[in-house]
Amino acid sequence: ILKFQIFIFSGLQSCIPNFSNLKGKKILCINTDHKGKMWVLTDKGLLRYNDVSDLFSPIGMEEDGDQIPFSSIFPDESGVWFGSCGKLYRFEYSDEAFFHFCNIEGWEEFNITQICSFDEHKLLCSSRDGLMFIDKESGAASVTPFGSRKEISAMLIDSKDRLWVAPYNQGIEVYSKDGNLIRTYSSTNGNLSNDIVLCMAERNSAIWVGTDGGGINIISTEDNTSDCLSYVSGDPMSFPANC
């Protein structure tokens, strides 16, 4: 049973959205855009929460009525990007319009699993096939200066414009925006508890790294030291389980 609770801090009132029309059983991603609207990506399609009707409405239908198989969501100040296999879609806040932005010529099998804004003109996209740029105006695809790494499981551009990228089971590589490798983090050099990195987020000058079985690693961007939150047998105050 899926439950998602939103707390409204004025008055500490809470509400639970109506999930009756949420057909997907597997939740791939939950994201909130710059207008405060919730988007839910499931194995059965994409939905947007309407706080007036208290329902999730399907977004992005093919002409034959089937749902487009989206694989990633990235909100920015003017709308939301959606990645699929060899395609990119767009939702604009200004006119509430959803549309097919581009086919990725020459990259038809590139299934976009993550999207971030690289600069004013380019999106950086990742997949099992590596990394690529997509021009925000033309939709043209191009190679990146970050090598030919495959099986990208997570990536992040931090507040200092550095790219953190995690090839599967190979720890983390940190690059400057022009493609120079700055440093690496792995279990081999003692900076990570596990080389399989599933997700990353920045908070208070630190990168929080979720691993597959090694808990959460917290890497300081000031001095590159790291701590680990993980389960300690017999300690009820430790992290509840390795994740």
Side-chain angles (χ1 to χ4, degrees):
I1 299 174
L2 174 65
K3 293 184 179 179
F4 189 91
Q5 187 169 19
I6 304 171
F7 292 96
I8 303 174
F9 290 98
S10 56
L12 297 180
Q13 183 180 4
S14 66
C15 65
I16 300 177
N18 184 345
F19 284 90
S20 60
N21 63 340
L22 191 64
K23 296 182 174 60
K25 301 299 183 183
K26 184 177 181 181
I27 307 301
L28 305 177
C29 179
I30 298 175
N31 212 323
T32 303
D33 65 26
H34 286 58
K35 297 295 184 179
K37 298 294 186 180
M38 185 195 306
W39 298 82
V40 179
L41 179 58
T42 80
D43 59 339
K44 298 296 184 181
L46 174 68
L47 301 117
R48 185 188 189 209
Y49 177 63
N50 186 320
D51 51 5
V52 176
S53 64
D54 189 30
L55 291 172
F56 284 88
S57 302
I59 301 290
M61 306 290 290
E62 299 277 19
E63 291 183 359
D64 59 6
D66 291 338
Q67 281 277 1
I68 297 170
F70 297 109
S71 50
S72 53
I73 304 174
F74 175 67
D76 61 24
E77 294 183 356
S78 58
V80 187
W81 296 98
F82 302 96
S84 184
C85 190
K87 298 178 181 180
L88 194 64
Y89 296 82
R90 179 73 173 164
F91 177 86
E92 290 287 348
Y93 301 139
S94 58
D95 55 4
E96 295 277 301
F98 177 90
F99 57 94
H100 171 227
F101 179 74
C102 70
N103 290 328
I104 308 172
E105 299 296 333
W107 303 70
E108 289 80 5
E109 301 303 317
F110 193 99
N111 188 35
I112 302 172
T113 54
Q114 284 188 284
I115 308 169
C116 63
S117 181
F118 185 77
D119 58 28
E120 182 181 354
H121 305 289
K122 296 189 293 292
L123 295 171
L124 178 63
C125 302
S126 70
S127 83
R128 295 173 62 89
D129 297 315
L131 298 167
M132 65 178 293
F133 288 136
I134 298 180
D135 188 277
K136 294 180 183 179
E137 294 296 328
S138 67
S142 58
V143 297
T144 76
F146 307 115
S148 56
R149 288 293 196 183
K150 304 292 186 179
E151 303 287 338
I152 304 300
S153 58
M155 70 173 182
L156 168 74
I157 295 179
D158 69 16
S159 57
K160 296 181 180 179
D161 275 346
R162 298 171 300 193
L163 172 64
W164 296 62
V165 60
Y168 183 76
N169 201 24
Q170 297 179 53
I172 300 172
E173 299 169 353
V174 185
Y175 292 89
S176 63
K177 292 194 80 170
D178 58 4
N180 290 320
L181 180 64
I182 299 172
R183 63 180 55 90
T184 62
Y185 297 89
S186 69
S187 60
T188 303
N189 61 27
N191 291 320
L192 281 182
S193 60
N194 189 294
D195 286 330
I196 302 177
V197 173
L198 302 178
C199 57
M200 294 184 283
E202 184 176 17
R203 182 178 184 272
N204 296 338
S205 299
I207 305 299
W208 290 57
V209 179
T211 69
D212 184 4
I216 296 176
N217 290 243
I218 305 173
I219 301 172
S220 168
T221 58
E222 301 296 331
D223 57 13
N224 298 315
T225 58
S226 60
D227 294 312
C228 181
L229 302 178
S230 61
Y231 174 69
V232 178
S233 179
D235 183 358
M237 301 303 292
S238 69
F239 203 66
N242 284 344
C243 62

